[in-house]
């Protein structure tokens, strides 16, 4: 296993990937990001470009149509995309770490053969259906039910805020549902693969959101949805536990994305502070501005160190729950704080939507909420400390 010490000694294969995604982000994503944000449209052509580069297959073995890389490779790509556009980055993050990964981790050989090649190719994307109106941080509050009737799961209920769930290329949603009660009278929660074209499954109209306008998010309804018994993903009753494992990993991916945001804000500010003059000199020559940007750089570097550490622990098979929660918390706070400071450095221009820092300002808040709120990360960290 490779030891990931720092960005200064990134092994060659990751450095090459980083450069090619950075080029793609600059030349393909950045020019259309403001347009998709403004028009609230899903960036199909950008997703097709990411698919062509193999980004959706990064952590999956070649036998399932993947690139034979690892989770850290996905993180490196997410950091570069996060610098220029969060909607595109989260489409990849949710597609790979939440959409396809549960099938790779917990699927039968048949399920992997059926679904992974299309998901890893990026021709289709998957979604992760955990959250419900009454079950967010407390995801065990799931009310959606699945009953086995004549060899089929009959699913009824609803999900909310589900990313990638209603696009033209959405292949499936893996949904948690109550499938019974265990011997202690506790709800038994299982995960079921629901193909997007199943009758009774509906992605309701999308939300009006503060940001992430080009990312696809919908409430979902399941109205007597029938899927074969074989669509059970993983062991019956292990659905909640399996999804928590997926979320632990996903936090490292979202931390990489957030690190990109924090760094993207620094990069924009350094450039702007040298160009923009006030009182006869570049604004960056004022210590108040230079120190603000220096602090932003420190936040981005700390966030990166935290997610590298979590990824290294995960890939070496060591416990990584606490490191992933720390990485997710510090990086999302770094993104939000840097986005706020960046808009200040840009003055009035920082309030204009056409500027990247303005988009980061609107987009970043959700990083402190999705895939576990900051409070949930603190809960996980304190539990790991035995508190
Ligand atoms: C744009 C977007 C995309 C999303 N994508 C997905 C997706 O693809 N799949 C999916 O399943 N979900 C998704 N979500 C849902 C997201 O993960 C949840 O919104 C999040 O986990 C918080 O749940 P909640 O909204 O129900 O808030 P709540 O759980 O109701 O929390 C409200 C507040 O109370 C705090 N809180 C709750 N319990 C405690 C406690 N015990 N101690 C201290 N504070 C507490 C929380 O931290 C938060 O500040 C998405 C959400 C958004 C907005």
């Amino acid at each position: 296993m490779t030891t990931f010490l720092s960005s200064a000694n990134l092994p060659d294969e990751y450095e090459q990937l980083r450069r090619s995604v950075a080029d793609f982000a600059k030349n393909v994503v950045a020019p259309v990001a403001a347009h998709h944000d403004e028009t609230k449209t899903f960036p199909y052509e950008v997703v097709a470009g990411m698919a062509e580069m193999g980004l959706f297959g990064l952590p999956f073995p070649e036998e399932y149509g993947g690139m034979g890389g690892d989770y850290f490779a996905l993180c490196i790509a997410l950091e570069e995309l996060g610098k220029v556009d969060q909607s595109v980055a989260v489409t990849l993050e949710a597609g790979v770490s939440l959409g396809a990964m549960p099938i790779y981790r917990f699927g039968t050989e048949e399920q992997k053969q059926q679904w992974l090649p299309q998901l890893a190719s990026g021709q289709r994307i998957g979604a992760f259906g955990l959250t419900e109106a009454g079950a967010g941080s407390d995801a065990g509050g799931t009310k959606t039910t699945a009953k086995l009737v004549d060899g089929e799961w009959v699913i009824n209920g609803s999900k909310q805020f589900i990313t990638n769930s209603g696009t033209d290329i959405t292949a499936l949603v893996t949904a948690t549902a109550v499938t019974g009660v265990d011997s202690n009278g506790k709800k038994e929660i299982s995960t079921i693969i629901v193909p997007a074209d199943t009758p009774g499954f509906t992605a309701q109209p999308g939300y009006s959101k503060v940001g992430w306008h080009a990312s696809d998010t919908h409430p979902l309804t399941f109205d007597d949805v029938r899927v074969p018994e074989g669509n059970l993903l993983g062991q019956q009753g292990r659905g909640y536990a399996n999804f928590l494992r997926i979320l632990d990993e996903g936090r490292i991916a979202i931390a990489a994305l957030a690190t990109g945001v924090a760094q993207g804000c620094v990069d924009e500010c350094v450039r702007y502070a040298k160009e923009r003059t006030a009182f006869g000199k570049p604004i960056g020559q004022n210590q108040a501005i230079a120190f603000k940007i220096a602090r932003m750089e420190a936040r981005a570097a700390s966030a990166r160190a935290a997610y590298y550490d979590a990824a290294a622990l995960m890939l070496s098979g060591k416990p990584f729950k606490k490191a992933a929660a720390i990485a997710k918390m510090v990086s999302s706070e770094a993104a939000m704080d840097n986005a706020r400071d960046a808009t200040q450095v840009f003055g009035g221009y920082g309030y204009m939507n056409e500027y990247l820092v303005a988009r980061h300002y609107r987009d970043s808040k959700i990083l402190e909420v999705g895939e576990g709120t900051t409070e949930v990360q603190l809960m996980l960290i304190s539990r790991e400390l035995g508190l």
Side-chain angles (χ1 to χ4, degrees):
M1 160 22 234
T2 317
T3 306
F4 308 113
L5 292 175
S6 76
S7 49
N9 63 356
L10 209 53
D12 274 355
E13 65 270 29
Y14 298 110
E15 181 54 27
Q16 276 170 22
L17 172 71
R18 194 191 68 70
R19 281 198 197 146
S20 67
V21 178
D23 277 355
F24 178 81
K26 182 172 166 223
N27 298 316
V28 179
V29 183
V32 297
H35 164 75
H36 285 296
D37 175 66
E38 191 82 25
T39 55
K40 300 186 170 68
T41 45
F42 187 76
Y44 285 102
E45 78 286 12
V46 176
V47 171
M50 294 198 289
E52 209 169 295
M53 288 175 78
L55 301 189
F56 286 91
L58 276 174
F60 304 116
E62 287 168 21
E63 59 182 301
Y64 299 120
M67 299 292 281
D70 57 28
Y71 213 83
F72 186 64
L74 172 67
C75 291
I76 292 289
L78 289 170
E79 183 180 339
E80 291 307 319
L81 292 169
K83 284 179 186 171
V84 303
D85 187 44
Q86 296 189 43
S87 287
V88 160
V90 80
T91 299
L92 177 67
E93 192 271 339
V96 179
S97 81
L98 300 181
M101 197 53 90
I103 293 177
Y104 177 58
R105 292 268 181 247
F106 309 114
T108 60
E109 191 51 38
E110 203 183 334
Q111 288 169 337
K112 289 184 202 178
Q113 295 289 353
Q114 183 182 356
W115 296 110
L116 282 180
Q118 40 182 318
L119 298 177
S121 73
Q123 301 304 313
R124 309 288 304 276
I125 52 177
F128 178 85
L130 176 66
T131 305
E132 299 185 4
S137 305
D138 182 12
T142 302
K143 287 212 171 92
T144 296
T145 58
K147 292 197 175 102
L148 205 48
V149 182
D150 300 332
E152 288 183 321
W153 290 107
V154 181
I155 310 169
N156 281 289
S158 60
K159 298 284 169 184
Q160 71 175 9
F161 305 150
I162 309 301
T163 304
N164 287 349
S165 60
T167 73
D168 296 347
I169 57 170
T170 299
L172 60 91
V173 177
T174 53
T176 45
V178 180
T179 47
V181 186
D182 70 13
S183 48
N184 301 320
K186 265 183 77 182
K187 267 185 205 169
E188 176 198 87
I189 297 178
S190 307
T191 309
I192 296 171
I193 301 172
V194 180
D197 57 2
T198 311
F201 167 77
T202 313
Q204 302 291 347
Y207 298 93
S208 170
K209 295 175 290 189
V210 170
W212 282 13
H213 286 155
S215 161
D216 180 78
T217 326
H218 297 267
L220 307 177
T221 49
F222 301 81
D223 189 8
D224 275 336
V225 168
R226 289 173 174 268
V227 297
E229 186 174 359
N231 281 25
L232 176 73
L233 181 63
Q235 222 179 304
Q236 188 168 336
R238 294 288 300 161
Y240 183 53
N242 289 348
F243 264 26
L244 292 187
R245 155 79 202 209
I246 290 295
L247 285 173
D248 281 339
E249 294 177 3
R251 284 179 187 127
I252 308 176
I254 207 83
L257 190 166
T259 300
V261 176
Q263 190 65 57
C265 289
V266 175
D267 298 348
E268 285 295 287
C269 284
V270 169
R271 182 182 57 72
Y272 192 73
K274 286 179 183 165
E275 276 170 24
R276 175 74 177 172
T277 56
F279 299 99
K281 62 179 184 186
I283 57 169
Q285 286 183 16
N286 297 295
Q287 207 174 50
I289 296 290
F291 275 20
K292 194 185 285 298
I293 300 173
R295 192 174 288 281
M296 290 166 64
E297 171 73 0
R299 289 187 198 119
S302 310
R304 185 173 302 105
Y307 97 70
Y308 274 38
D309 183 48
L313 286 171
M314 175 191 156
L315 294 185
S316 61
K318 294 187 179 140
F320 65 93
K321 191 185 266 294
K322 175 159 68 88
I326 291 172
K328 200 277 177 178
M329 186 179 84
V330 301
S331 63
S332 56
E333 289 183 349
M336 189 68 240
D337 291 347
N338 280 12
R340 187 194 59 239
D341 283 352
T343 53
Q344 191 69 19
V345 168
F346 271 67
Y349 296 99
Y351 203 61
M352 298 297 122
N353 275 331
E354 68 198 86
Y355 283 80
L356 171 57
V357 296
R359 188 151 34 87
H360 275 326
Y361 184 71
R362 285 186 285 107
D363 285 352
S364 294
K365 183 59 209 165
I366 182 59
L367 293 168
E368 295 182 318
V369 172
E371 298 200 31
T373 61
T374 297
E375 292 75 18
V376 164
Q377 309 313 318
L378 289 167
M379 214 187 283
L380 294 170
I381 297 164
S382 50
R383 262 190 217 146
E384 290 286 312
L385 293 172
L387 299 170

